[in-house]
Amino acid sequence: MRYIKIIVISTCFLFSCNIKQRAYSGKYGIIYTGGKYVPYVYSLKLNNDNTFDYSYSSGWIQKISNGTWNIDSRSNKLLLCSNVDNVKSIPILVVELSDSIINSKEFIFVNPTSDSTLWSVFINGTRYPIKSDKVTISNDIKIDSFYIEGYKDFTNITPYPLQETVRSKIHYVKNAQNNVFSISFPKFVDYYIFHYETIKDSFSIKRNYIIWQKGGIKLRKLPEP
Amino acid sequence: MSISGGSVLQYAIPHCISNISWNLYIFHHHIDCDSEQKNSIDFFENGSWEIQGEFGTKNGREWKNDRDKKIAEQIQSEVVNRDKSLAKQEARINAKIDNINNNAKLSDDKRSQQIATQQNKLEAVKTERNIISTLDKGITQLGASKTVYTFNTVESGITATLSSQKDGTVIINNYGTLGNRSHETSHAIQYDNHLITFNPLGSNNLLMRNPLGIEIQAYGTEYSITGGIVPLSDNGTPKSIFGITPNWLYGLKDSSGTYLYRPSNYK
């Protein structure tokens, strides 16, 4: 009986938290149309599934982020945690296979940017440029680990990137017999990865606005379209 | 095309496709592709119906929709107003130069000095007139271009600059003010003149041959159409159109104090 009570109370608590969270979901933003400063636009979307999408744009600068959000009920603060903690250590999805028909080691890469980004796979510290989304190396090379690196030359390209080089987490090979590696990034990685800003912070939130910067900008809740 | 028939009319409204133009008139009432997908009319109980319409591939001379055309015309109308004002300024400066020339009390040095000052002002006014004339001609060019252009007043989203769709449509994102709209339109004109390209098409990544020059031209347009309303720069306020310089651009920042036109910011 005691356990049933605990389960019921916990369920109610979680349910009420969920309702409270839902009250904050929606689109927040500010558009400064110009005057003293260069015009800018902030946009923060708190989705019902506790994911968020953030963007900032002004002049030649553009920043984007995505991740998960929560409300700390004790401090009544909005907690944002980006999907990418560090653009030099982005999660990757690797499927390893053993294929006896081919007499080499193959790395098949799903390119998330489809632009002029130069992607390379670093195998045991050696760089192999990925051409036509594939790298083939000799079967004799023993592979302990590898990671993916992307570089884009932003000379004369706007908006400015926040970084010109991005890198995946190091993948440690599970089985030395495997010779085919299918590599992809999670869905939230696309060509805006070079404009990605990691957000891991708390913000004051009210029903109708979020304080985005210290002493500064209020992102107002926008009406539903 | 013109067809007629009996008492009930059934029709299907084609989807809006950026490179296809079509006009459908039912008893002179224009049905556009944004209208409700109503596909039958049965109120001609005692009469007959008639349709006049035309479909064709867009070969220019059109914006994406009527709203875009209207915005383009509004900017061009502002160009006309501003040009009238600048023409008056030009006439006043020329009159002053005549007065200075006819003033026998002035020494030669003083006269030369005063005329030089007025000549500088005259050059600035003429330059502004040239810039807004370029904007005016450019807007006409965009309307006649094979590329489809459309204006988007930014609400909130990922971009507030020129962007593109994979089908090649170019979106002139702007903040809805005359200055900013003209600024972004001048980037669209630069795109139409192949001075900038999208990298890749479908994004808002712009590849510019000469980023500073491109931006100075756009801010020059903003300055000229608004009569000098441009953001504050750490490197001074432009006293004339000639004050829109790379140095002025370097000093522009947003409310958080970030400089917006300096490559060194992110490296």
Side-chain angles (χ1 to χ4, degrees):
Chain A
M1 190 64 187
R2 199 172 145 212
Y3 289 118
I4 293 171
K5 252 186 185 174
I6 290 168
I7 290 167
V8 169
I9 291 167
S10 304
T11 309
C12 289
F13 178 73
L14 287 173
F15 187 66
S16 71
C17 282
N18 197 29
I19 289 174
K20 201 174 176 191
Q21 298 259 113
R22 284 280 172 93
Y24 290 104
S25 64
K27 211 167 185 180
Y28 297 78
I30 183 169
I31 299 161
Y32 176 79
T33 56
K36 194 176 173 188
Y37 303 109
V38 177
Y40 56 78
V41 55
Y42 282 92
S43 175
L44 176 68
K45 198 175 172 201
L46 303 181
N47 301 308
N48 284 333
D49 62 357
N50 282 78
T51 61
F52 78 85
D53 296 290
Y54 163 79
S55 73
Y56 166 78
S57 171
S58 182
W60 285 350
I61 288 183
Q62 183 179 36
K63 299 172 186 178
I64 72 112
S65 195
N66 46 42
T68 53
W69 68 275
N70 271 296
I71 300 291
D72 180 353
S73 50
R74 282 172 299 177
S75 61
N76 215 33
K77 291 236 174 177
L78 168 69
L79 309 173
L80 297 182
C81 184
S82 290
N83 286 325
V84 177
D85 194 35
N86 179 352
V87 289
K88 298 287 163 64
S89 183
I90 304 168
I92 40 168
L93 312 165
V94 179
V95 177
E96 297 183 14
L97 293 169
S98 174
D99 188 338
S100 55
I101 298 170
I102 55 166
N103 193 25
S104 59
K105 286 194 166 83
E106 287 196 352
F107 294 79
I108 299 151
F109 178 60
V110 181
N111 186 343
T113 54
S114 63
D115 62 0
S116 58
T117 303
L118 301 172
W119 293 101
S120 303
V121 56
F122 281 75
I123 302 163
N124 300 339
T126 305
R127 179 175 170 266
Y128 296 87
I130 301 174
K131 289 170 187 164
S132 306
D133 296 342
K134 200 173 168 183
V135 166
T136 304
I137 60 168
S138 163
N139 225 354
D140 300 333
I141 299 173
K142 190 175 169 274
I143 305 171
D144 299 320
S145 63
F146 62 84
Y147 62 86
I148 299 288
E149 188 178 272
Y151 167 79
K152 189 170 170 182
D153 180 3
F154 273 85
T155 306
N156 292 345
I157 290 179
T158 64
Y160 289 156
L162 293 178
Q163 50 272 329
E164 289 182 320
T165 305
V166 293
R167 198 177 290 165
S168 75
K169 282 183 190 292
I170 296 172
H171 176 79
Y172 294 96
V173 174
K174 288 167 193 160
N175 186 338
Q177 303 305 312
N178 291 337
N179 62 342
V180 177
F181 304 91
S182 172
I183 311 158
S184 59
F185 280 104
K187 213 170 69 179
F188 53 77
V189 176
D190 59 16
Y191 59 74
Y192 290 112
I193 193 67
F194 296 99
H195 304 274
Y196 200 94
E197 182 183 28
T198 297
I199 302 170
K200 233 179 181 179
D201 213 339
S202 64
F203 303 86
S204 290
I205 186 167
K206 304 284 177 197
R207 287 289 159 123
N208 293 317
Y209 63 88
I210 297 164
I211 306 282
W212 190 251
Q213 287 170 340
K214 275 183 187 172
I217 287 166
K218 273 184 184 178
L219 306 188
R220 298 204 173 275
K221 195 164 190 177
L222 304 170
E224 294 288 327
Chain B
M1 176 190 76
S2 180
I3 52 173
S4 57
S7 61
V8 176
L9 162 66
Q10 287 192 318
Y11 64 92
I13 296 173
H15 294 291
C16 290
I17 301 170
S18 58
N19 63 342
I20 301 288
S21 72
W22 60 272
N23 285 298
L24 178 62
Y25 293 89
I26 300 175
F27 275 101
H28 307 293
H29 178 69
H30 182 235
I31 312 286
D32 67 30
C33 62
D34 293 325
S35 65
E36 285 179 29
Q37 297 292 301
K38 184 179 172 182
N39 60 5
S40 71
I41 293 176
D42 57 6
F43 47 77
F44 305 113
E45 285 172 4
N46 300 314
S48 60
W49 48 261
E50 182 188 34
I51 297 175
Q52 288 184 334
E54 57 187 50
F55 290 80
T57 305
K58 184 181 188 300
N59 59 356
R61 297 176 294 282
E62 272 182 31
W63 289 83
K64 186 172 183 184
N65 55 46
D66 285 348
R67 187 184 151 274
D68 295 319
K69 198 177 170 190
K70 208 178 242 178
I71 291 171
E73 285 168 357
Q74 277 169 359
I75 300 172
Q76 285 184 308
S77 157
E78 292 292 343
V79 168
V80 172
N81 293 338
R82 179 74 185 133
D83 190 61
K84 277 181 193 165
S85 164
L86 287 167
K88 279 181 189 169
Q89 280 185 43
E90 196 177 320
R92 275 199 297 271
I93 296 166
N94 277 325
K96 269 187 190 172
I97 292 171
D98 286 346
N99 284 342
I100 295 163
N101 272 327
N102 295 332
N103 190 346
K105 290 177 187 171
L106 289 174
S107 66
D108 285 349
D109 277 358
K110 199 103 180 168
R111 182 179 293 112
S112 301
Q113 205 179 356
Q114 287 186 9
I115 285 176
T117 304
Q118 294 306 318
Q119 288 287 7
N120 279 341
K121 286 181 184 175
L122 193 63
E123 280 308 305
V125 170
K126 282 181 176 172
T127 303
E128 284 190 53
R129 290 189 77 183
N130 275 336
I131 288 172
I132 59 171
S133 167
T134 304
L135 175 66
D136 183 44
K137 285 176 193 159
I139 290 170
T140 305
Q141 178 186 328
L142 296 185
S145 172
K146 284 188 176 174
T147 302
V148 177
Y149 293 91
T150 183
F151 290 96
N152 175 46
T153 304
V154 171
E155 287 170 3
S156 60
I158 205 152
T159 174
T161 57
L162 207 65
S163 65
S164 61
Q165 291 176 338
K166 280 186 178 164
D167 69 355
T169 301
V170 173
I171 306 165
I172 307 169
N173 295 293
N174 64 88
Y175 294 95
T177 58
L178 173 67
N180 184 259
R181 215 167 238 176
S182 304
H183 179 123
E184 295 304 332
T185 303
S186 65
H187 284 318
I189 297 163
Q190 290 160 348
Y191 173 79
D192 211 62
N193 289 330
H194 312 292
L195 296 173
I196 53 182
T197 50
F198 289 101
N199 181 38
L201 192 68
S203 75
N204 71 329
N205 280 216
L206 291 170
L207 180 60
M208 303 174 169
R209 280 187 198 168
N210 172 11
L212 279 181
I214 291 282
E215 212 56 58
I216 284 168
Q217 192 180 16
Y219 272 110
T221 305
E222 188 173 334
Y223 182 98
S224 302
I225 193 80
T226 59
I229 302 170
V230 283
L232 287 181
S233 165
D234 278 1
N235 298 329
T237 305
K239 287 176 184 159
S240 78
I241 184 68
F242 302 126
I244 307 288
T245 60
N247 204 35
W248 173 82
L249 202 66
Y250 289 144
L252 292 180
K253 56 188 180 185
D254 69 5
S255 63
S256 68
T258 306
Y259 291 101
L260 298 164
Y261 296 98
R262 288 187 187 184
S264 56
N265 267 342
Y266 64 88
K267 290 199 173 165

